């Protein structure tokens, strides 16, 4: 199974920030089991959509710096709060900002 959780990147400003959109549809596989009769997008997938957008930002930054062999991996999440349920028909407007990057590969 493969989850691509970005429908569109609306702004890409390496190395600082990126914006994107995810339109949530009832036809997505996750709603088969989460939850029958009350479809709610799992918080882990909301975070994953942000991680995917952040990965695009970081890899674009690495390409600009002549390091295209480096790839982004989410390693830490601090103070994440999901304030309301995301349901089919909702549109997630995603905004990521690079605060700190480290090269764990050496």
């Amino acid at each position: 199974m493969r989850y691509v959780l970005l429908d569109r990147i609306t702004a890409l400003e390496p190395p600082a920030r990126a914006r994107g959109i995810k339109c949530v549809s009832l036809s997505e596989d996750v709603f088969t089991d989460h939850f029958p009769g009350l479809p709610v997008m799992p918080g882990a997938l909301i975070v994953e959509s942000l991680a995917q957008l952040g990965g695009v930002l970081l890899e674009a930054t690495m390409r600009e710096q002549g390091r295209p062999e480096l790839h982004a991996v989410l390693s830490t999440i601090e103070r994440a709060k999901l304030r309301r349920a995301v349901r089919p028909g909702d549109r997630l407007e995603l905004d990521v900002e690079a605060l700190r990057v480290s090269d764990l590969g050496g």
Side-chain angles (χ1 to χ4, degrees):
M1 187 177 326
R2 179 178 155 173
Y3 285 104
V4 177
L5 296 168
L6 290 173
D7 291 324
R8 186 175 326 128
I9 296 172
T10 57
L12 184 57
E13 305 165 12
R17 68 182 315 133
R19 291 191 174 117
I21 294 171
K22 167 65 179 151
C23 296
V24 182
S25 169
L26 185 58
S27 66
E28 295 181 46
D29 293 342
V30 68
F31 293 125
T32 302
D33 299 316
H34 205 276
F35 297 102
L38 182 65
V40 176
M41 187 173 189
L45 294 183
I46 296 169
V47 171
E48 176 63 20
S49 64
L50 288 163
Q52 289 179 12
L53 182 59
V56 169
L57 172 62
L58 293 177
E59 290 188 14
T61 301
M62 292 299 98
R63 280 191 306 276
E64 283 190 355
Q65 295 177 358
R67 308 267 326 260
E69 74 283 359
L70 294 180
H71 298 285
V73 175
L74 176 65
S75 62
T76 304
I77 300 170
E78 295 178 14
R79 298 184 308 258
K81 292 184 182 182
L82 304 174
R83 301 195 186 274
R84 70 175 190 88
V86 175
R87 301 179 45 95
D90 287 348
R91 174 179 148 146
L92 292 177
E93 295 185 8
L94 308 165
D95 190 359
V96 296
E97 180 179 346
L99 300 178
R100 183 175 55 239
V101 177
S102 61
D103 179 358
L104 300 177

